Amino acid sequence: MTIKISGTGRALPEHKVTNQKLQELVETSDEWIRERTGIGERRISTGDTVVSLAAEACRKALEMAGKAASEVELILVATCSPEYLLPCCACQVQSIIGAVHGAAFDLNAACAGFLFGLDTAYAYLQSGLYKNALIVGSEVLSKLVDWKDRSTCVLFGDGAGAVFVETVPEELICDNGRKAGIEAILQGADGAKGGILSCQERPVQNAFLTEQEMPDSYVHMNGQEVYKFAVKKVPACIQAALEKAGLTVEDIDLFLLHQANERIIRSVAKRLKADLSKFPMNLQRVGNMSSATIPVLLDELNRDGRIQKGDRLVLSGFGAGLTYGATVLVWG
Ligand code: ACO
């Protein structure tokens, strides 16, 4: 049996916001943003929602896989920016695309959410409970950032990416001799560091409590602490996942990292002693879309023909929680 990704898709809002445009909102500069983050522009919703973007990305992934929505057995939406707490985004996506036979639920592991969703779907498929799944990372972070806070508003963008994974009864051996499928998964969390990157929902409030002041509901981040965490944890996590699979850095064709920051990606490449050309980036064009960054990048590379059957990939992300993970797979 092989579990393979047979379709990818993405959806981005039309509206581009350049660094120059942000200079009209906060005291910043194109030079500062590019130098510290690598980001040049991002897409910002003018009405697109987590659900509408997710549904579009799902339709494209299904089209590529040649599957009808009615064949989908499981839908997982990873998001930390839903418009509704109830119903969950996955149920709304199910309704829009007409995946009437699919179970559906959301998952929040922030920027590592898509990866955790992929791993969860893999475990379900591996167990035989389902034969296929749509996994989506979708975010409209633009509604969670304070557009007066220059230290956060320049970093994020909106968008969604999706993959369709399915079980194939036989083993798929690629031309280069590699067996397609997921080879290793590593996930972790460091909840004690949760305060470094947070965004508060409504506090406890009910008829039996005296009224409290509502907290602001914006993203707050200690950028330097996130940076320190990422540059240590991501390479360590990738190394551990590779060890689990009995592989080394040299065995990997492409590293698809969470697109938070170019300096973090460069530092990870350096620590792993891997060539930077193996670390494709799109953050220059789309910014940090949290859970959507990895599946959007995956779809871009897949559609551009930059991923070939038999290529071995590492997908690795980190996010609020703090959460982190790495998945090693051979593209089939
Ligand atoms: N434009 C101009 N100046 C700015 C801006 C801005 N947009 N933002 C902050 N500054 C100023 C600060 O006010 C500060 O000024 P001061 O020295 O007068 O006080 C100065 O720049 C330095 O601020 P730092 O916060 O120390 O800047 P730093 O070099 O750490 O860069 C950054 C900030 C880019 C956020 C960095 O910490 C970083 O890369 N962190 C990683 C976190 C990250 O990428 N998070 C993404 C989201 S989290 C995730 O995806 C999991």
Side-chain angles (χ1 to χ4, degrees):
M1 180 180 89
T2 304
I3 294 168
K4 67 170 217 159
I5 296 175
S6 47
T8 61
R10 67 180 186 275
L12 299 175
E14 289 285 311
H15 185 55
K16 279 184 195 173
V17 175
T18 59
N19 293 344
Q20 285 80 4
K21 189 75 191 163
L22 291 178
Q23 286 174 221
E24 296 170 17
L25 300 179
V26 288
E27 202 183 324
T28 190
S29 65
D30 180 50
E31 193 191 357
W32 193 97
I33 302 170
R34 280 184 196 275
E35 199 181 292
R36 305 286 175 117
T37 72
I39 298 167
E41 61 186 38
R42 70 288 290 145
R43 301 295 186 92
I44 298 294
S45 168
T46 51
D48 313 270
T49 64
V50 167
V51 168
S52 67
L53 293 168
E56 191 184 333
C58 283
R59 281 201 196 101
K60 289 178 179 164
L62 285 175
E63 193 185 332
M64 184 186 284
K67 296 286 172 188
S70 58
E71 294 176 77
V72 173
E73 297 190 359
L74 174 67
I75 303 171
L76 280 179
V77 175
T79 187
C80 57
S81 53
E83 280 80 30
Y84 284 84
L85 294 178
L86 305 168
C88 70
C89 297
C91 285
Q92 296 177 70
V93 169
Q94 185 225 32
S95 166
I96 292 173
I97 65 172
V100 288
H101 303 299
F105 65 92
D106 288 3
L107 180 155
N108 179 358
C111 305
F114 168 78
L115 213 52
F116 281 32
L118 181 65
D119 300 343
T120 304
Y122 175 77
Y124 273 122
L125 267 55
Q126 186 80 8
S127 77
L129 190 59
Y130 300 117
K131 288 193 292 298
N132 66 52
L134 271 171
I135 303 105
V136 196
S138 184
E139 306 286 1
V140 178
L141 294 165
S142 58
K143 64 174 182 266
L144 298 184
V145 297
D146 178 354
W147 288 93
K148 294 189 196 78
D149 175 11
R150 66 179 181 175
S151 68
T152 52
C153 76
V154 302
L155 303 175
F156 300 104
D158 301 331
V163 299
F164 179 79
V165 288
E166 62 182 325
T167 305
V168 182
E170 69 277 9
E171 284 202 340
L172 289 182
I173 306 298
C174 305
D175 288 347
N176 60 7
R178 290 175 181 164
K179 181 182 172 312
I182 290 184
E183 297 184 303
I185 289 172
L186 200 133
Q187 298 179 325
D190 189 351
K193 293 200 173 78
I196 291 173
L197 180 52
S198 64
C199 182
Q200 197 173 342
E201 239 293 326
R202 291 185 229 180
V204 177
Q205 185 60 276
N206 56 48
F208 309 99
L209 287 172
T210 50
E211 278 197 14
Q212 300 176 33
E213 220 175 276
M214 290 295 272
D216 81 50
S217 52
Y218 295 126
V219 169
H220 293 277
M221 178 181 77
N222 181 332
Q224 289 182 4
E225 288 302 317
V226 173
Y227 187 91
K228 278 192 249 167
F229 175 83
V231 296
K232 270 197 190 155
K233 208 53 159 180
V234 174
C237 173
I238 291 173
Q239 284 287 13
L242 289 175
E243 267 169 43
K244 240 177 142 177
L247 299 166
T248 65
V249 167
E250 287 70 40
D251 296 314
I252 303 303
D253 298 298
L254 286 176
F255 295 84
L256 275 66
L257 301 195
H258 170 47
Q259 303 284 296
N261 185 307
E262 187 174 331
R263 286 189 305 155
I264 292 176
I265 295 173
R266 284 178 179 274
S267 167
V268 172
K270 201 169 164 191
R271 280 179 194 233
L272 289 174
K273 298 190 176 65
D275 196 312
L276 191 63
S277 64
K278 288 186 175 183
F279 292 73
M281 290 183 233
N282 64 4
L283 58 86
Q284 297 84 354
R285 288 177 282 112
V286 290
N288 177 352
M289 300 177 293
S290 188
S291 68
T293 62
I294 293 175
V296 166
L297 182 62
L298 188 63
D299 183 56
E300 283 182 9
L301 297 169
N302 190 24
R303 285 176 192 268
D304 291 352
R306 284 190 59 197
I307 304 177
Q308 299 298 325
K309 284 186 179 172
D311 282 352
R312 185 176 272 124
L313 315 180
V314 166
L315 314 183
S316 181
F318 63 96
L322 298 174
T323 54
Y324 54 91
T327 299
V328 186
L329 63 92
V330 172
W331 197 255

